Amino acid sequence: MKHPFDPLIKHHLLIGLLLAVWIFVFLYFTEPLDVNEFNDNDKLVYLPGYAILGGFCYLLFLPIQSFLFNKSQKKWTVINEIIFLAIFSIITITIARSYYLYIIMIDEPNPYTLGYMLKSIFLPAITTILPIIIIARFAFGKYHEKHLEDQKIEIKGKGNYEGLRLQLNDLISIQSSDNYIEVFYMCDNSLKKTLIRNKLSVIDKEFSELLRAHRSYLFNPYHFQQWKTENGKLFVVLNHAIEVPISKTYQSAIKAAINSTTN
């Protein structure tokens, strides 16, 4: 099952910061274990350490998140989300336990056992912290999906149910084919082709970002790879080895446009 996902690091930095603040507030006011024996100065010395560790652990696992995202062909699922949160929880508890033993209790005898800490502080803390993370990640994921949806262009057809919505940068080229156009584009990291009943001239007028290369071709300069000359004819080679012929009428304009986008 698909789960909303936001790949933007700046949003995850914000989640990490909010997490650190929430951990500090939780510990400061609930005073689990011996926190109530700390004076105000001790609280301000030791409790921020837990908060910083919590935020750091969240950011530490962003590479794992990226790995899972790429391994799943840039699709984030509920299973991916559960794996991420489970690993985050286990490692965060381990590091927090180490902080307790080797920083807070370094010169103190008889520290609390791991079992007691799990029951009295870690599990209660996780049950209050995880919902915050889950809600924040879900909200940012939904926001990112809406932003992407708003950025999509629509190539319309003449029929009521014809058309294609996609990101501009996913569109590679469009070729005229009788009373239809063949749209070549990326979807789920694969090359796709859709036949739509429309005229190339209509699409050319509607989307100025596309370059007219030939009376039968439009292409997206974002996917430019290299020039190619064959039998005296000039071509542009795009992603997925798509070759588009360049007529002499458009050569100067195409070269100027390509140079401006690649420099």
Side-chain angles (χ1 to χ4, degrees), residues 3 5 27-28 33 66 70-71 80 85 90 99 112 116 122 139 148 170-171 175 194 217 224 242 246-247 262:
H3 188 281
F5 179 76
L27 294 176
Y28 191 91
L33 299 180
S66 296
N70 292 326
K71 188 175 181 181
N80 293 139
L85 293 174
I90 293 170
Y99 177 75
Y112 289 112
Y116 183 80
F122 290 145
L148 290 179
D170 288 336
L171 175 60
Q175 179 180 351
T194 294
Y217 289 90
F224 174 81
I242 294 176
I246 309 296
S247 67
T262 56

Coordinates of all heavy atoms in Angstrom, one line a residue, residues 3 5 27-28 33 66 70-71 80 85 90 99 112 116 122 139 148 170-171 175 194 217 224 242 246-247 262:
H3 N 2.3 5.0 0.6 CA 2.3 5.9 1.7 C 2.9 7.2 1.3 O 3.8 7.3 0.5 CB 3.1 5.3 2.9 CG 3.0 6.1 4.1 ND1 3.7 7.3 4.4 CD2 2.3 5.8 5.3 CE1 3.4 7.7 5.6 NE2 2.6 6.9 6.1
F5 N 5.0 10.4 0.8 CA 6.5 10.5 1.1 C 7.0 11.8 0.6 O 6.7 12.3 -0.4 CB 7.2 9.4 0.4 CG 8.7 9.4 0.6 CD1 9.3 9.0 1.8 CD2 9.6 9.9 -0.4 CE1 10.6 9.0 2.0 CE2 10.9 9.9 -0.2 CZ 11.5 9.5 1.0
L27 N 10.5 15.2 28.8 CA 11.3 14.9 30.0 C 11.2 15.9 31.1 O 11.2 15.6 32.3 CB 12.7 14.6 29.5 CG 13.0 13.5 28.6 CD1 14.4 13.4 28.2 CD2 12.6 12.1 29.3
Y28 N 11.2 17.2 30.7 CA 11.2 18.3 31.7 C 10.0 18.3 32.5 O 10.1 18.5 33.7 CB 11.4 19.6 30.9 CG 11.7 20.8 31.8 CD1 13.0 21.1 32.1 CD2 10.7 21.5 32.4 CE1 13.3 22.2 33.0 CE2 11.0 22.6 33.3 CZ 12.3 22.9 33.5 OH 12.6 23.9 34.4
L33 N 11.8 8.6 36.1 CA 12.9 8.1 36.8 C 13.4 9.2 37.8 O 12.6 9.6 38.7 CB 14.0 7.7 35.8 CG 13.7 6.6 34.8 CD1 14.8 6.3 33.9 CD2 13.2 5.4 35.6
S66 N 16.5 7.0 2.2 CA 16.8 7.2 0.8 C 17.0 5.9 0.1 O 16.6 5.6 -1.0 CB 18.0 8.1 0.6 OG 17.7 9.4 1.1
N70 N 14.8 4.4 -3.0 CA 15.4 4.1 -4.3 C 15.2 2.6 -4.6 O 15.0 2.2 -5.8 CB 16.9 4.5 -4.3 CG 17.1 6.0 -4.3 OD1 16.3 6.7 -4.8 ND2 18.1 6.4 -3.7
K71 N 15.4 1.8 -3.6 CA 15.2 0.3 -3.8 C 13.8 0.0 -4.2 O 13.6 -1.0 -4.9 CB 15.6 -0.4 -2.5 CG 15.7 -1.9 -2.7 CD 16.2 -2.6 -1.5 CE 16.2 -4.1 -1.7 NZ 16.7 -4.8 -0.4
N80 N 7.6 0.3 4.0 CA 8.8 1.1 4.1 C 8.7 2.0 5.4 O 9.7 2.1 6.1 CB 9.0 1.9 2.9 CG 9.3 1.1 1.6 OD1 8.8 1.4 0.6 ND2 10.1 0.1 1.8
L85 N 10.5 3.4 10.9 CA 10.2 3.8 12.2 C 10.7 2.8 13.2 O 11.1 3.2 14.4 CB 8.6 4.0 12.4 CG 8.1 5.2 11.6 CD1 6.5 5.2 11.6 CD2 8.6 6.5 12.1
I90 N 14.5 1.5 17.6 CA 15.4 0.6 18.3 C 16.8 1.2 18.5 O 17.3 1.2 19.6 CB 15.6 -0.7 17.4 CG1 14.3 -1.5 17.4 CG2 16.7 -1.6 17.9 CD1 14.3 -2.7 16.4
Y99 N 23.7 6.8 26.6 CA 23.8 8.2 27.1 C 23.6 8.2 28.6 O 24.3 8.8 29.4 CB 22.9 9.1 26.4 CG 22.9 10.5 26.9 CD1 23.9 11.4 26.6 CD2 21.8 11.0 27.7 CE1 23.9 12.7 27.1 CE2 21.8 12.3 28.2 CZ 22.9 13.2 27.9 OH 22.9 14.5 28.4
Y112 N 19.7 2.1 36.6 CA 18.5 1.3 36.3 C 18.8 0.3 35.2 O 19.6 0.5 34.3 CB 17.4 2.2 35.9 CG 16.8 3.1 37.0 CD1 17.0 4.4 37.0 CD2 16.1 2.5 38.0 CE1 16.5 5.2 38.0 CE2 15.6 3.3 39.1 CZ 15.8 4.6 39.1 OH 15.3 5.4 40.1
Y116 N 13.9 -2.1 33.2 CA 13.2 -1.2 33.9 C 13.0 0.1 33.2 O 11.9 0.8 33.2 CB 13.9 -0.9 35.3 CG 13.1 0.1 36.2 CD1 12.1 -0.4 36.9 CD2 13.5 1.4 36.2 CE1 11.3 0.5 37.7 CE2 12.8 2.3 37.0 CZ 11.7 1.8 37.8 OH 11.0 2.7 38.6
F122 N 11.4 4.5 28.2 CA 11.5 4.4 26.8 C 10.2 4.1 26.0 O 9.9 4.8 25.1 CB 12.6 3.4 26.4 CG 14.0 3.8 26.8 CD1 14.9 2.9 27.2 CD2 14.4 5.1 26.7 CE1 16.2 3.2 27.6 CE2 15.7 5.5 27.1 CZ 16.6 4.6 27.5
A139 N 1.9 14.4 6.9 CA 1.5 15.7 6.5 C 2.5 16.3 5.4 O 2.0 16.8 4.4 CB 1.4 16.7 7.7
L148 N 3.5 18.4 -6.2 CA 3.9 17.7 -7.5 C 2.7 17.7 -8.4 O 2.8 17.9 -9.7 CB 4.4 16.3 -7.2 CG 5.8 16.2 -6.6 CD1 6.1 14.7 -6.4 CD2 6.9 16.9 -7.4
D170 N 9.2 14.8 -16.9 CA 9.0 13.4 -17.3 C 8.7 13.3 -18.8 O 8.9 12.2 -19.4 CB 7.9 12.8 -16.5 CG 8.3 12.5 -15.1 OD1 9.5 12.4 -14.8 OD2 7.4 12.5 -14.2
L171 N 8.4 14.4 -19.4 CA 8.1 14.4 -20.9 C 9.4 14.4 -21.7 O 10.2 15.3 -21.4 CB 7.2 15.5 -21.2 CG 6.8 15.8 -22.7 CD1 6.1 14.6 -23.3 CD2 6.0 17.0 -22.9
Q175 N 5.8 13.1 -31.1 CA 6.0 12.9 -32.5 C 4.6 12.8 -33.2 O 3.6 12.2 -32.6 CB 6.7 11.6 -32.8 CG 6.8 11.3 -34.3 CD 7.6 10.0 -34.6 OE1 8.1 9.4 -33.6 NE2 7.6 9.5 -35.8
T194 N 2.3 7.0 -25.2 CA 0.9 7.1 -25.2 C 0.4 7.8 -26.5 O 1.0 8.8 -26.9 CB 0.3 7.9 -24.0 OG1 0.6 7.2 -22.8 CG2 -1.2 8.2 -24.1
Y217 N 8.1 16.8 -35.0 CA 8.7 16.5 -33.7 C 8.7 17.7 -32.8 O 9.1 18.8 -33.2 CB 10.1 16.0 -33.9 CG 10.2 14.6 -34.5 CD1 10.3 14.4 -35.8 CD2 10.2 13.4 -33.7 CE1 10.4 13.1 -36.4 CE2 10.3 12.2 -34.2 CZ 10.4 12.0 -35.6 OH 10.5 10.8 -36.1
F224 N 18.1 16.3 -23.1 CA 19.2 16.4 -24.1 C 20.4 15.6 -23.6 O 20.9 15.8 -22.5 CB 19.6 17.8 -24.5 CG 20.8 17.9 -25.4 CD1 20.6 17.7 -26.8 CD2 22.0 18.2 -24.9 CE1 21.7 17.8 -27.6 CE2 23.1 18.3 -25.7 CZ 23.0 18.1 -27.1
I242 N 16.5 8.1 -27.4 CA 15.5 8.6 -28.4 C 16.2 9.6 -29.3 O 16.8 10.6 -28.8 CB 14.3 9.2 -27.7 CG1 13.5 8.1 -26.9 CG2 13.4 9.9 -28.6 CD1 12.4 8.7 -26.1
I246 N 16.6 17.1 -36.6 CA 16.5 18.5 -36.6 C 16.5 19.1 -38.0 O 17.5 18.9 -38.7 CB 17.7 19.2 -35.8 CG1 17.8 18.5 -34.4 CG2 17.5 20.7 -35.7 CD1 16.7 18.7 -33.5
S247 N 15.4 19.7 -38.5 CA 15.4 20.2 -39.8 C 16.2 21.5 -39.8 O 16.4 22.2 -38.8 CB 14.0 20.5 -40.2 OG 13.4 21.5 -39.5
T262 N 22.2 24.1 -21.2 CA 23.3 23.2 -20.8 C 24.5 24.0 -20.2 O 25.4 23.4 -19.6 CB 23.8 22.3 -21.9 OG1 24.2 23.1 -23.0 CG2 22.7 21.3 -22.3

